Amino acid sequence: MAIERTFSIIKPDATRRNLTGKINAKFEEAGLKIVAQRRIQMSEAQAKKFYEVHAARPFYGDLVKFMTSGPVVVQVLEGEGAVLKNRDIMGATNPANAAPGTIRKEFAESIEANSVHGSDSPENAAIEIAYFFAGTDIVG
Ligand code: CMP
């Protein structure tokens, strides 16, 4: 499998509980390299646009409110098959269904406050990375 990049967000429930380091350790232990990282306060407009694909879903409003409720850490992760590998490390969206040892099993509070976001395809990874990072921000 090829070296890929994926986009990751450590969400407000996790930054609030000071879990950034523990979550980053999971990525690094699994062989993903953090090649860009920034802690930001997302604006409502940024969150709305980022989650635009979910605009028609009933949870969209709450999701935007949650993602702007505190700082997040936006990241680019790099490694062999990074998109799928990151989804394995994160575990299922709903922590109740997440496998043991995954970030969401260990840390997530609920399906909304589920600690991390990760791109679902290489195409979306490229779009999401470009939304938050310039090429020069990423150092492989
Ligand atoms: P994420 O990978 O960031 O993409 C969309 C987010 O919506 C998802 O993680 C969840 O945190 C959040 N969400 C809230 N409620 C639901 C739901 N019922 N089904 C799917 N995602 C949900």
Side-chain angles (χ1 to χ4, degrees):
M1 201 173 261
I3 297 286
E4 285 177 348
R5 285 177 177 171
T6 191
F7 177 71
S8 165
I9 305 178
I10 301 179
K11 297 188 181 185
D13 67 286
T15 60
R16 193 175 291 131
R17 287 174 290 148
N18 232 11
L19 292 171
T20 300
K22 283 189 174 149
I23 290 172
N24 279 346
K26 293 272 195 197
F27 298 141
E28 293 186 337
E29 280 160 14
L32 291 179
K33 189 164 154 188
I34 301 161
V35 295
Q37 176 166 258
R38 192 165 72 247
R39 182 172 163 109
I40 62 167
Q41 171 65 52
M42 249 196 234
S43 68
E44 190 184 330
Q46 255 177 329
K48 276 186 168 163
K49 178 131 179 52
F50 183 77
Y51 280 118
E52 209 165 36
V53 297
H54 297 301
R57 310 282 289 272
F59 56 81
Y60 180 65
D62 282 345
L63 176 61
V64 169
K65 211 176 284 173
F66 169 64
M67 290 301 288
T68 56
S69 69
V72 300
V73 179
V74 290
Q75 315 176 290
V76 181
L77 308 178
E78 183 182 88
E80 287 279 328
V83 172
L84 276 182
K85 183 178 269 188
N86 185 38
R87 292 184 74 79
D88 282 346
I89 300 165
M90 290 192 299
T93 304
N94 186 343
N97 303 326
T102 61
I103 291 171
R104 285 166 171 162
K105 181 68 176 184
E106 288 189 16
F107 303 125
E109 296 178 321
S110 66
I111 193 167
E112 177 177 83
N114 65 355
S115 302
V116 279
H117 163 85
S119 308
D120 62 4
S121 68
E123 295 72 28
N124 282 339
I127 294 166
E128 292 176 359
I129 288 169
Y131 192 54
F132 288 100
F133 293 100
T136 48
D137 294 333
I138 304 167
V139 183

